[in-house]
Coordinates of all heavy atoms in Angstrom, one line a residue:
M1 N 18.7 51.4 -54.4 CA 18.7 50.2 -55.2 C 17.4 49.5 -55.1 O 16.7 49.4 -54.1 CB 19.8 49.2 -54.6 CG 21.2 49.6 -54.8 SD 21.8 49.4 -56.5 CE 21.8 47.7 -56.7
A2 N 17.0 49.0 -56.3 CA 15.7 48.2 -56.4 C 15.8 47.0 -55.5 O 16.9 46.4 -55.3 CB 15.5 47.9 -57.8
V3 N 14.7 46.4 -55.2 CA 14.6 45.2 -54.3 C 14.9 44.0 -55.2 O 14.5 43.9 -56.3 CB 13.1 45.1 -53.8 CG1 13.0 43.8 -53.0 CG2 12.8 46.3 -52.9
E4 N 15.7 43.1 -54.6 CA 16.0 41.9 -55.4 C 14.9 40.9 -55.2 O 14.6 40.5 -54.1 CB 17.3 41.3 -54.8 CG 17.8 40.1 -55.6 CD 19.1 39.5 -55.2 OE1 19.8 40.1 -54.4 OE2 19.4 38.3 -55.6
I5 N 14.3 40.5 -56.3 CA 13.2 39.5 -56.3 C 13.8 38.2 -56.8 O 14.4 38.2 -57.8 CB 12.0 40.0 -57.1 CG1 11.5 41.3 -56.5 CG2 10.9 39.0 -57.2 CD1 10.4 42.0 -57.4
T6 N 13.5 37.1 -56.1 CA 14.0 35.8 -56.4 C 12.9 34.8 -56.6 O 11.7 35.1 -56.2 CB 15.0 35.3 -55.3 OG1 14.2 35.1 -54.1 CG2 16.1 36.3 -55.1
D7 N 13.2 33.6 -57.1 CA 12.2 32.6 -57.1 C 11.6 32.3 -55.7 O 10.5 32.0 -55.6 CB 12.8 31.3 -57.7 CG 13.1 31.3 -59.2 OD1 12.6 32.2 -59.9 OD2 13.8 30.4 -59.7
A8 N 12.5 32.4 -54.7 CA 12.1 32.1 -53.3 C 11.2 33.1 -52.7 O 10.3 32.8 -52.0 CB 13.3 31.9 -52.5
N9 N 11.4 34.4 -53.0 CA 10.6 35.4 -52.3 C 9.5 36.1 -53.3 O 8.8 37.0 -52.9 CB 11.5 36.5 -51.7 CG 12.1 37.4 -52.8 OD1 11.8 37.4 -54.0 ND2 13.0 38.3 -52.3
F10 N 9.4 35.5 -54.5 CA 8.5 36.2 -55.5 C 7.0 36.3 -55.0 O 6.4 37.4 -55.0 CB 8.5 35.4 -56.8 CG 7.6 36.0 -57.8 CD1 8.0 37.1 -58.5 CD2 6.3 35.5 -58.0 CE1 7.2 37.7 -59.5 CE2 5.5 36.1 -59.0 CZ 5.9 37.2 -59.7
D11 N 6.5 35.2 -54.5 CA 5.1 35.2 -54.1 C 4.9 36.2 -53.0 O 3.9 37.0 -53.0 CB 4.6 33.8 -53.7 CG 4.3 32.9 -54.9 OD1 4.1 33.5 -56.0 OD2 4.2 31.7 -54.7
E12 N 5.7 36.2 -52.0 CA 5.6 37.1 -50.8 C 5.8 38.5 -51.3 O 5.0 39.4 -50.9 CB 6.7 36.7 -49.8 CG 6.8 37.7 -48.6 CD 8.0 37.5 -47.8 OE1 8.6 36.4 -47.9 OE2 8.3 38.4 -47.0
M13 N 6.8 38.8 -52.1 CA 7.1 40.2 -52.5 C 6.1 40.8 -53.5 O 5.7 41.9 -53.4 CB 8.5 40.3 -53.0 CG 9.6 39.9 -52.1 SD 9.9 41.1 -50.7 CE 10.4 42.5 -51.6
V14 N 5.8 40.0 -54.5 CA 5.0 40.5 -55.7 C 3.5 40.1 -55.6 O 2.7 41.0 -55.7 CB 5.7 40.0 -57.0 CG1 4.8 40.4 -58.2 CG2 7.1 40.5 -57.1
M15 N 3.2 38.8 -55.5 CA 1.9 38.4 -55.6 C 1.0 38.9 -54.4 O -0.2 39.1 -54.5 CB 1.8 36.9 -55.7 CG 2.5 36.3 -57.0 SD 2.1 37.2 -58.5 CE 0.7 36.3 -59.0
N16 N 1.7 39.1 -53.3 CA 0.9 39.5 -52.1 C 1.1 41.0 -51.8 O 0.7 41.5 -50.8 CB 1.4 38.7 -50.8 CG 1.1 37.3 -51.0 OD1 0.2 36.8 -51.6 ND2 2.0 36.4 -50.4
S17 N 1.7 41.7 -52.8 CA 1.9 43.2 -52.6 C 0.6 43.9 -52.7 O -0.3 43.7 -53.6 CB 2.8 43.7 -53.6 OG 3.0 45.1 -53.5
D18 N 0.4 44.9 -51.8 CA -0.8 45.7 -51.9 C -0.6 47.0 -52.7 O -1.4 47.8 -52.8 CB -1.3 46.1 -50.5 CG -0.3 46.8 -49.6 OD1 0.9 46.9 -50.1 OD2 -0.6 47.4 -48.6
K19 N 0.6 47.1 -53.2 CA 1.0 48.2 -54.1 C 1.3 47.7 -55.5 O 1.6 46.5 -55.7 CB 2.3 48.9 -53.5 CG 2.1 49.5 -52.2 CD 3.4 50.1 -51.7 CE 3.3 50.7 -50.4 NZ 3.2 49.8 -49.3
P20 N 1.2 48.6 -56.5 CA 1.7 48.2 -57.8 C 3.1 47.8 -57.8 O 3.9 48.3 -57.0 CB 1.5 49.4 -58.7 CG 0.5 50.3 -57.9 CD 0.7 49.9 -56.5
V21 N 3.5 46.9 -58.7 CA 4.9 46.3 -58.7 C 5.5 46.5 -60.1 O 4.8 46.2 -61.1 CB 4.9 44.9 -58.4 CG1 6.4 44.3 -58.4 CG2 4.3 44.6 -57.0
L22 N 6.7 47.0 -60.2 CA 7.5 47.1 -61.4 C 8.6 46.1 -61.3 O 9.4 46.2 -60.3 CB 8.0 48.5 -61.7 CG 8.9 48.7 -62.9 CD1 8.8 50.2 -63.3 CD2 10.3 48.3 -62.7
I23 N 8.8 45.1 -62.2 CA 9.8 44.2 -62.1 C 10.7 44.2 -63.4 O 10.2 44.1 -64.5 CB 9.3 42.7 -62.0 CG1 8.3 42.6 -60.8 CG2 10.5 41.8 -61.8 CD1 7.7 41.2 -60.8
D24 N 12.0 44.5 -63.2 CA 12.9 44.5 -64.3 C 13.6 43.1 -64.3 O 14.3 42.7 -63.4 CB 14.0 45.6 -64.0 CG 15.1 45.6 -65.0 OD1 15.0 45.1 -66.1 OD2 16.2 46.1 -64.6
F25 N 13.4 42.4 -65.4 CA 14.0 41.1 -65.7 C 15.3 41.4 -66.4 O 15.3 42.0 -67.5 CB 13.1 40.2 -66.5 CG 12.0 39.6 -65.7 CD1 10.8 40.4 -65.6 CD2 12.0 38.4 -65.1 CE1 9.7 39.9 -64.8 CE2 11.0 37.9 -64.4 CZ 9.8 38.6 -64.2
W26 N 16.5 41.0 -65.9 CA 17.8 41.4 -66.4 C 18.8 40.3 -66.2 O 18.5 39.3 -65.6 CB 18.2 42.7 -65.7 CG 18.6 42.4 -64.3 CD1 17.8 42.2 -63.2 CD2 19.9 42.2 -63.7 NE1 18.5 41.9 -62.1 CE2 19.8 41.9 -62.4 CE3 21.2 42.3 -64.3 CZ2 20.9 41.7 -61.6 CZ3 22.3 42.1 -63.5 CH2 22.2 41.8 -62.2
A27 N 20.0 40.5 -66.8 CA 21.1 39.6 -66.6 C 22.4 40.5 -66.7 O 22.4 41.5 -67.3 CB 21.2 38.6 -67.7
E28 N 23.4 40.0 -66.0 CA 24.7 40.7 -65.9 C 25.3 41.0 -67.2 O 25.9 42.0 -67.5 CB 25.6 39.9 -65.0 CG 26.9 40.6 -64.6 CD 26.7 41.8 -63.7 OE1 25.9 41.7 -62.7 OE2 27.3 42.9 -63.9
W29 N 25.2 40.0 -68.1 CA 25.8 40.0 -69.4 C 25.1 40.9 -70.5 O 25.5 41.1 -71.6 CB 26.1 38.6 -70.0 CG 24.8 37.8 -69.9 CD1 24.5 36.9 -68.9 CD2 23.7 37.7 -70.8 NE1 23.3 36.3 -69.1 CE2 22.8 36.8 -70.3 CE3 23.4 38.4 -72.0 CZ2 21.6 36.6 -70.9 CZ3 22.2 38.1 -72.6 CH2 21.3 37.2 -72.1
C30 N 23.9 41.4 -70.1 CA 23.0 42.1 -71.1 C 23.3 43.6 -71.1 O 23.1 44.3 -70.1 CB 21.6 41.8 -70.6 SG 20.3 42.8 -71.4
G31 N 23.8 44.0 -72.3 CA 24.1 45.4 -72.4 C 22.9 46.4 -72.2 O 23.0 47.3 -71.4
P32 N 21.8 46.2 -72.9 CA 20.6 47.0 -72.7 C 20.1 47.0 -71.2 O 19.6 48.0 -70.8 CB 19.6 46.5 -73.7 CG 20.4 45.8 -74.7 CD 21.6 45.2 -74.0
C33 N 20.3 45.9 -70.6 CA 19.9 45.8 -69.1 C 20.7 46.8 -68.3 O 20.2 47.4 -67.4 CB 20.2 44.4 -68.6 SG 19.2 43.1 -69.4
R34 N 22.0 46.9 -68.7 CA 22.9 47.9 -67.9 C 22.5 49.3 -68.2 O 22.7 50.2 -67.4 CB 24.3 47.6 -68.3 CG 24.9 46.3 -67.7 CD 26.4 46.3 -67.7 NE 26.9 46.2 -69.0 CZ 27.2 45.1 -69.7 NH1 26.9 43.9 -69.2 NH2 27.7 45.2 -71.0
L35 N 21.8 49.6 -69.3 CA 21.4 50.9 -69.6 C 20.2 51.3 -68.8 O 20.1 52.4 -68.3 CB 20.9 51.0 -71.1 CG 22.1 51.0 -72.1 CD1 21.5 51.0 -73.5 CD2 23.0 52.1 -72.0
I36 N 19.2 50.4 -68.6 CA 18.0 50.7 -67.8 C 18.2 50.5 -66.3 O 17.4 50.9 -65.5 CB 16.7 50.1 -68.3 CG1 16.7 48.6 -68.1 CG2 16.5 50.5 -69.8 CD1 15.3 48.1 -68.3
G37 N 19.2 49.7 -65.9 CA 19.4 49.4 -64.5 C 19.4 50.6 -63.6 O 18.7 50.7 -62.6
P38 N 20.2 51.7 -64.0 CA 20.2 52.9 -63.1 C 18.9 53.6 -63.1 O 18.5 54.2 -62.1 CB 21.3 53.8 -63.8 CG 22.2 52.8 -64.6 CD 21.2 51.7 -65.0
I39 N 18.1 53.5 -64.2 CA 16.8 54.1 -64.2 C 15.9 53.4 -63.2 O 15.1 54.0 -62.4 CB 16.2 54.0 -65.6 CG1 17.0 54.9 -66.6 CG2 14.7 54.4 -65.6 CD1 16.6 54.7 -68.1
I40 N 15.9 52.1 -63.2 CA 15.1 51.3 -62.3 C 15.5 51.6 -60.8 O 14.6 51.8 -60.0 CB 15.3 49.8 -62.5 CG1 14.9 49.4 -64.0 CG2 14.5 48.9 -61.5 CD1 13.5 49.6 -64.3
D41 N 16.8 51.8 -60.5 CA 17.2 52.1 -59.2 C 16.7 53.5 -58.8 O 16.3 53.7 -57.7 CB 18.7 52.1 -59.1 CG 19.2 50.6 -59.1 OD1 18.5 49.7 -58.8 OD2 20.4 50.4 -59.5
E42 N 16.7 54.5 -59.7 CA 16.2 55.8 -59.5 C 14.7 55.8 -59.1 O 14.3 56.4 -58.2 CB 16.4 56.7 -60.7 CG 17.8 57.3 -60.9 CD 17.9 58.1 -62.2 OE1 16.8 58.6 -62.7 OE2 19.0 58.2 -62.7
M43 N 14.0 55.0 -59.9 CA 12.6 54.9 -59.7 C 12.2 54.3 -58.4 O 11.2 54.6 -57.8 CB 11.9 54.1 -60.9 CG 11.9 54.9 -62.2 SD 11.2 53.9 -63.5 CE 9.5 53.8 -63.0
H44 N 13.1 53.4 -57.9 CA 12.9 52.8 -56.6 C 12.8 53.9 -55.5 O 11.9 53.9 -54.7 CB 14.0 51.8 -56.2 CG 14.0 51.3 -54.8 ND1 13.0 50.4 -54.4 CD2 14.8 51.6 -53.8 CE1 13.2 50.2 -53.1 NE2 14.3 50.9 -52.7
G45 N 13.7 54.9 -55.6 CA 13.7 56.0 -54.6 C 12.5 56.9 -54.9 O 11.8 57.3 -53.9
E46 N 12.1 57.1 -56.1 CA 11.1 58.1 -56.4 C 9.7 57.5 -56.0 O 8.8 58.3 -55.7 CB 11.1 58.4 -57.9 CG 12.3 59.2 -58.3 CD 12.4 59.3 -59.9 OE1 11.5 59.0 -60.6 OE2 13.5 59.8 -60.3
Y47 N 9.5 56.2 -56.1 CA 8.2 55.6 -55.8 C 8.2 54.9 -54.5 O 7.2 54.1 -54.2 CB 7.9 54.6 -56.9 CG 7.4 55.3 -58.2 CD1 8.4 55.6 -59.2 CD2 6.1 55.5 -58.5 CE1 8.0 56.2 -60.4 CE2 5.7 56.2 -59.6 CZ 6.6 56.5 -60.6 OH 6.2 57.1 -61.7
E48 N 9.2 55.1 -53.6 CA 9.2 54.5 -52.3 C 7.9 54.8 -51.5 O 7.4 55.9 -51.5 CB 10.4 54.9 -51.5 CG 10.7 54.1 -50.3 CD 12.1 54.3 -49.8 OE1 12.9 55.0 -50.3 OE2 12.3 53.6 -48.7
G49 N 7.3 53.7 -51.0 CA 6.0 53.8 -50.3 C 4.8 53.8 -51.2 O 3.7 53.6 -50.7
K50 N 5.0 54.0 -52.5 CA 3.8 54.0 -53.4 C 3.8 52.8 -54.4 O 2.7 52.4 -54.8 CB 3.9 55.3 -54.3 CG 3.8 56.6 -53.5 CD 3.8 57.8 -54.4 CE 5.2 58.2 -54.6 NZ 5.4 59.5 -55.4
A51 N 5.0 52.3 -54.6 CA 5.0 51.1 -55.5 C 6.3 50.3 -55.1 O 7.3 50.9 -54.6 CB 5.1 51.5 -57.0
L52 N 6.3 49.0 -55.5 CA 7.5 48.2 -55.3 C 8.2 48.1 -56.6 O 7.7 47.8 -57.6 CB 7.0 46.7 -54.8 CG 8.2 45.7 -54.7 CD1 9.1 46.1 -53.6 CD2 7.6 44.3 -54.6
I53 N 9.5 48.5 -56.5 CA 10.3 48.4 -57.7 C 11.4 47.4 -57.5 O 12.2 47.5 -56.5 CB 11.0 49.8 -58.0 CG1 10.1 51.0 -57.9 CG2 11.8 49.8 -59.3 CD1 9.0 51.0 -59.0
G54 N 11.4 46.3 -58.3 CA 12.3 45.2 -58.1 C 13.0 44.7 -59.3 O 12.6 45.1 -60.5
K55 N 14.0 43.9 -59.1 CA 14.7 43.3 -60.2 C 14.8 41.8 -60.0 O 15.0 41.3 -58.9 CB 16.2 43.8 -60.2 CG 16.3 45.3 -60.6 CD 17.8 45.7 -60.6 CE 18.0 47.0 -61.2 NZ 19.4 47.3 -61.4
V56 N 14.7 41.1 -61.2 CA 14.9 39.6 -61.2 C 16.1 39.3 -62.1 O 16.0 39.6 -63.3 CB 13.6 38.9 -61.7 CG1 13.9 37.4 -61.8 CG2 12.5 39.1 -60.7
D57 N 17.1 38.7 -61.6 CA 18.2 38.2 -62.4 C 17.8 36.9 -63.0 O 17.6 35.9 -62.3 CB 19.4 38.0 -61.5 CG 20.7 37.5 -62.2 OD1 20.5 36.9 -63.3 OD2 21.8 37.6 -61.7
V58 N 17.6 36.9 -64.3 CA 17.0 35.8 -65.0 C 17.9 34.5 -65.0 O 17.4 33.4 -65.0 CB 16.6 36.1 -66.5 CG1 15.6 37.2 -66.6 CG2 17.9 36.5 -67.3
D59 N 19.2 34.7 -64.9 CA 20.1 33.6 -64.8 C 20.0 32.9 -63.5 O 20.1 31.6 -63.4 CB 21.6 34.0 -65.0 CG 21.8 34.4 -66.5 OD1 21.1 33.9 -67.4 OD2 22.7 35.3 -66.7
A60 N 19.8 33.6 -62.4 CA 19.7 33.0 -61.0 C 18.3 32.6 -60.6 O 18.2 31.9 -59.7 CB 20.3 34.1 -60.0
N61 N 17.3 33.1 -61.4 CA 15.9 32.8 -61.0 C 15.1 32.4 -62.2 O 14.2 33.1 -62.7 CB 15.3 34.1 -60.4 CG 16.1 34.5 -59.1 OD1 15.9 33.9 -58.1 ND2 16.9 35.5 -59.3
P62 N 15.4 31.2 -62.8 CA 14.7 30.8 -64.0 C 13.2 30.5 -63.8 O 12.4 30.6 -64.7 CB 15.4 29.5 -64.4 CG 16.0 29.0 -63.1 CD 16.4 30.3 -62.3
G63 N 12.8 30.3 -62.5 CA 11.4 29.9 -62.3 C 10.4 31.1 -62.5 O 9.4 31.0 -63.2
V64 N 10.8 32.3 -62.0 CA 9.9 33.5 -62.2 C 10.0 33.9 -63.7 O 8.9 34.2 -64.2 CB 10.4 34.6 -61.3 CG1 9.7 35.9 -61.6 CG2 10.3 34.3 -59.8
S65 N 11.1 33.8 -64.3 CA 11.2 34.2 -65.7 C 10.4 33.3 -66.5 O 9.7 33.7 -67.4 CB 12.7 34.1 -66.1 OG 13.5 34.8 -65.3
A66 N 10.4 32.0 -66.3 CA 9.6 31.0 -67.0 C 8.1 31.3 -66.8 O 7.3 31.2 -67.7 CB 10.0 29.6 -66.7
K67 N 7.7 31.5 -65.5 CA 6.3 31.8 -65.2 C 5.7 32.8 -66.1 O 4.5 32.8 -66.4 CB 6.2 32.1 -63.7 CG 4.8 32.5 -63.2 CD 4.8 32.8 -61.8 CE 3.4 33.1 -61.3 NZ 3.2 33.0 -59.9
F68 N 6.5 33.9 -66.4 CA 5.9 35.0 -67.2 C 6.4 35.0 -68.6 O 6.1 35.9 -69.4 CB 6.4 36.3 -66.5 CG 5.6 36.6 -65.2 CD1 6.3 36.4 -64.0 CD2 4.3 37.0 -65.2 CE1 5.6 36.6 -62.8 CE2 3.6 37.2 -64.0 CZ 4.3 37.0 -62.8
G69 N 7.0 33.9 -69.0 CA 7.4 33.7 -70.4 C 8.4 34.8 -70.9 O 8.4 35.2 -72.0
V70 N 9.3 35.2 -70.0 CA 10.3 36.2 -70.4 C 11.3 35.5 -71.3 O 12.1 34.6 -70.9 CB 11.0 36.8 -69.1 CG1 12.1 37.7 -69.5 CG2 9.9 37.5 -68.3
R71 N 11.4 36.0 -72.5 CA 12.4 35.5 -73.5 C 13.4 36.5 -73.9 O 14.5 36.2 -74.4 CB 11.6 35.0 -74.7 CG 10.8 33.7 -74.4 CD 10.3 33.1 -75.7 NE 9.6 31.9 -75.5 CZ 8.3 31.8 -75.2 NH1 7.5 32.9 -75.2 NH2 7.7 30.7 -75.0
N72 N 13.0 37.8 -73.8 CA 13.9 38.8 -74.2 C 14.2 39.7 -73.0 O 13.3 39.9 -72.2 CB 13.3 39.7 -75.3 CG 13.0 38.9 -76.5 OD1 13.9 38.3 -77.1 ND2 11.8 39.0 -77.0
I73 N 15.4 40.2 -72.8 CA 15.7 41.1 -71.7 C 16.4 42.3 -72.2 O 17.1 42.2 -73.3 CB 16.6 40.4 -70.6 CG1 17.8 39.7 -71.2 CG2 15.7 39.4 -69.9 CD1 18.8 39.2 -70.2
P74 N 16.2 43.4 -71.6 CA 15.4 43.6 -70.4 C 13.9 43.6 -70.7 O 13.5 44.1 -71.8 CB 15.8 45.0 -69.9 CG 16.2 45.7 -71.1 CD 16.9 44.7 -72.0
T75 N 13.1 42.9 -69.9 CA 11.7 43.0 -69.9 C 11.3 43.6 -68.6 O 11.7 43.1 -67.5 CB 11.1 41.6 -70.1 OG1 11.4 41.1 -71.4 CG2 9.6 41.6 -69.9
V76 N 10.4 44.5 -68.6 CA 9.8 45.2 -67.4 C 8.4 44.8 -67.4 O 7.6 45.2 -68.3 CB 10.1 46.7 -67.4 CG1 9.5 47.3 -66.1 CG2 11.6 47.0 -67.5
L77 N 7.9 44.2 -66.3 CA 6.5 43.9 -66.1 C 5.9 44.8 -65.1 O 6.6 45.2 -64.1 CB 6.3 42.4 -65.6 CG 6.7 41.3 -66.6 CD1 6.4 40.0 -66.0 CD2 6.1 41.5 -67.9
F78 N 4.7 45.2 -65.3 CA 4.0 46.1 -64.4 C 2.8 45.2 -63.8 O 2.0 44.8 -64.6 CB 3.4 47.3 -65.1 CG 4.5 48.1 -65.7 CD1 5.0 47.8 -67.0 CD2 5.1 49.2 -65.0 CE1 6.1 48.6 -67.5 CE2 6.1 50.0 -65.6 CZ 6.6 49.6 -66.8
I79 N 2.8 44.9 -62.5 CA 1.9 44.0 -61.9 C 1.0 44.7 -60.9 O 1.5 45.5 -60.1 CB 2.6 42.8 -61.3 CG1 3.4 42.1 -62.4 CG2 1.7 41.9 -60.5 CD1 4.2 40.9 -61.9
K80 N -0.3 44.5 -61.0 CA -1.2 45.1 -60.0 C -2.2 44.0 -59.6 O -2.7 43.2 -60.4 CB -2.0 46.2 -60.7 CG -2.9 46.9 -59.7 CD -3.5 48.2 -60.3 CE -4.3 48.9 -59.2 NZ -4.8 50.1 -59.6
N81 N -2.3 43.8 -58.3 CA -3.2 42.8 -57.7 C -2.8 41.4 -58.3 O -3.7 40.6 -58.6 CB -4.7 43.1 -58.0 CG -5.1 44.4 -57.4 OD1 -4.6 44.8 -56.3 ND2 -5.9 45.1 -58.1
G82 N -1.5 41.1 -58.4 CA -1.1 39.8 -58.8 C -1.2 39.5 -60.3 O -0.9 38.4 -60.8
E83 N -1.7 40.5 -61.1 CA -1.9 40.3 -62.5 C -1.0 41.2 -63.3 O -0.8 42.4 -62.9 CB -3.3 40.6 -62.9 CG -4.3 39.7 -62.3 CD -4.3 38.2 -62.8 OE1 -4.1 38.1 -64.0 OE2 -4.5 37.3 -62.0
V84 N -0.4 40.8 -64.5 CA 0.4 41.6 -65.3 C -0.6 42.7 -66.0 O -1.5 42.3 -66.7 CB 1.1 40.9 -66.4 CG1 1.8 41.8 -67.4 CG2 2.1 39.9 -65.8
A85 N -0.3 43.9 -65.7 CA -1.2 45.0 -66.2 C -0.6 45.6 -67.5 O -1.3 46.2 -68.3 CB -1.4 46.1 -65.1
D86 N 0.7 45.5 -67.6 CA 1.4 46.1 -68.8 C 2.8 45.5 -68.8 O 3.3 44.9 -67.8 CB 1.5 47.6 -68.7 CG 1.6 48.3 -70.0 OD1 1.9 47.6 -71.0 OD2 1.3 49.5 -70.1
K87 N 3.5 45.8 -69.9 CA 4.9 45.3 -70.0 C 5.7 46.2 -71.0 O 5.1 46.9 -71.8 CB 5.1 43.9 -70.3 CG 4.8 43.5 -71.7 CD 5.1 42.0 -71.8 CE 4.7 41.4 -73.2 NZ 5.0 40.0 -73.3
S88 N 7.0 46.2 -70.9 CA 7.9 46.9 -71.8 C 9.1 46.0 -72.0 O 9.6 45.4 -71.1 CB 8.3 48.2 -71.1 OG 9.2 48.9 -71.9
I89 N 9.5 45.9 -73.3 CA 10.6 45.1 -73.7 C 11.7 45.9 -74.3 O 11.4 46.8 -75.2 CB 10.2 44.0 -74.7 CG1 9.1 43.0 -74.0 CG2 11.4 43.1 -75.1 CD1 8.5 42.0 -74.9
G90 N 12.9 45.7 -73.9 CA 14.0 46.5 -74.4 C 14.4 47.7 -73.6 O 13.7 48.0 -72.6
A91 N 15.4 48.4 -73.9 CA 15.9 49.6 -73.2 C 15.0 50.7 -73.7 O 15.0 51.1 -74.8 CB 17.3 49.9 -73.5
V92 N 14.2 51.2 -72.8 CA 13.2 52.3 -73.1 C 13.5 53.5 -72.2 O 14.1 53.4 -71.1 CB 11.8 51.8 -72.9 CG1 11.4 50.7 -73.9 CG2 11.5 51.4 -71.5
P93 N 13.0 54.7 -72.6 CA 13.2 55.9 -71.7 C 12.5 55.8 -70.4 O 11.5 55.1 -70.3 CB 12.7 57.0 -72.6 CG 12.5 56.5 -74.0 CD 12.4 55.0 -73.8
K94 N 13.1 56.5 -69.4 CA 12.5 56.5 -68.1 C 11.1 57.0 -68.1 O 10.2 56.4 -67.4 CB 13.4 57.4 -67.2 CG 12.9 57.5 -65.7 CD 13.8 58.4 -64.9 CE 13.3 58.5 -63.5 NZ 14.2 59.3 -62.7
E95 N 10.8 58.0 -68.9 CA 9.4 58.5 -69.0 C 8.4 57.5 -69.4 O 7.3 57.5 -68.9 CB 9.4 59.8 -69.9 CG 10.1 61.0 -69.3 CD 9.7 61.3 -67.9 OE1 8.5 61.3 -67.6 OE2 10.6 61.5 -67.0
Q96 N 8.8 56.6 -70.3 CA 7.9 55.5 -70.7 C 7.6 54.6 -69.5 O 6.4 54.2 -69.3 CB 8.5 54.8 -71.9 CG 7.5 53.7 -72.4 CD 8.1 53.0 -73.7 OE1 8.9 53.6 -74.4 NE2 7.7 51.8 -73.9
L97 N 8.6 54.2 -68.8 CA 8.4 53.3 -67.6 C 7.5 54.0 -66.6 O 6.6 53.4 -66.0 CB 9.7 52.9 -67.0 CG 10.7 52.1 -67.9 CD1 12.0 51.9 -67.3 CD2 10.0 50.8 -68.3
K98 N 7.8 55.3 -66.3 CA 7.0 56.0 -65.3 C 5.6 56.2 -65.8 O 4.7 56.0 -64.9 CB 7.6 57.4 -65.1 CG 8.9 57.4 -64.3 CD 9.5 58.8 -64.1 CE 8.7 59.6 -63.2 NZ 9.3 60.8 -62.7
S99 N 5.3 56.4 -67.0 CA 4.0 56.6 -67.6 C 3.2 55.3 -67.4 O 2.0 55.3 -66.9 CB 4.1 56.9 -69.0 OG 2.8 56.9 -69.6
K100 N 3.8 54.1 -67.7 CA 3.1 52.9 -67.5 C 2.8 52.6 -66.0 O 1.8 52.0 -65.7 CB 3.9 51.7 -68.1 CG 3.9 51.8 -69.7 CD 4.8 50.7 -70.3 CE 4.8 50.7 -71.8 NZ 3.9 49.8 -72.4
L101 N 3.8 52.9 -65.2 CA 3.6 52.6 -63.7 C 2.5 53.5 -63.2 O 1.6 53.1 -62.4 CB 4.9 52.8 -63.0 CG 4.9 52.5 -61.5 CD1 4.4 51.1 -61.2 CD2 6.2 52.7 -60.8
D102 N 2.6 54.8 -63.5 CA 1.6 55.8 -63.1 C 0.2 55.4 -63.5 O -0.8 55.6 -62.8 CB 1.9 57.2 -63.6 CG 3.1 57.8 -62.9 OD1 3.6 57.3 -61.9 OD2 3.7 58.8 -63.5
A103 N 0.1 54.8 -64.7 CA -1.3 54.4 -65.2 C -1.9 53.3 -64.4 O -3.2 53.2 -64.4 CB -1.1 53.9 -66.6
I104 N -1.1 52.5 -63.6 CA -1.8 51.4 -62.8 C -1.8 51.8 -61.3 O -2.2 51.0 -60.5 CB -1.1 50.1 -63.0 CG1 0.4 50.1 -62.5 CG2 -1.1 49.6 -64.5 CD1 1.0 48.7 -62.4
M105 N -1.4 53.0 -61.0 CA -1.4 53.3 -59.6 C -2.8 53.8 -59.1 O -3.7 54.1 -59.8 CB -0.4 54.5 -59.3 CG 0.9 54.0 -59.6 SD 2.4 54.7 -58.9 CE 2.1 54.7 -57.2

């Protein structure tokens, strides 16, 4: 399972990470989010030790969502050294997510 990222632990988990970070912004009620959720969880295992793979529930964590201007979900942000390096909006294939993450590693 991907790491749960919240408003409370965001700076510690993401901004201070020495590894690239993939964050899936999602909500329980979002159909496309349920499509990519299992992909994000798979990637967590595949990139363990190489990148941080996390999820932000937009309903429970409005602060992080607002900080990055997330208006559509699922939105996946790719963060390196505390800066957004790339992003993906909507349900996309796993290979696209892996390609974007590999590009910032």
Side-chain angles (χ1 to χ4, degrees):
M1 290 287 292
V3 176
E4 184 178 347
I5 297 172
T6 65
D7 286 349
N9 72 8
F10 180 80
D11 284 343
E12 174 191 343
M13 298 288 295
V14 177
M15 301 310 275
N16 297 330
S17 177
D18 59 349
K19 297 177 178 73
V21 181
L22 178 156
I23 308 173
D24 172 26
F25 288 83
W26 70 285
E28 189 69 43
W29 49 264
C30 166
C33 298
R34 288 194 296 270
L35 291 175
I36 71 163
I39 294 170
I40 301 298
D41 289 337
E42 283 175 24
M43 290 179 67
H44 172 71
E46 293 170 12
Y47 285 88
E48 194 163 356
K50 297 183 271 185
L52 173 67
I53 310 293
K55 292 181 169 190
V56 172
D57 180 337
V58 297
D59 291 332
N61 300 284
V64 174
S65 304
K67 176 178 182 164
F68 290 102
V70 173
R71 290 191 177 90
N72 301 305
I73 54 173
T75 291
V76 178
L77 296 182
F78 301 84
I79 298 177
K80 185 171 185 174
N81 300 324
E83 299 287 326
V84 175
D86 206 343
K87 74 177 176 179
S88 178
I89 297 174
V92 297
K94 181 179 181 179
E95 290 309 312
Q96 183 175 332
L97 297 174
K98 288 179 69 168
S99 172
K100 288 177 181 259
L101 183 56
D102 290 344
I104 66 167
M105 298 204 52

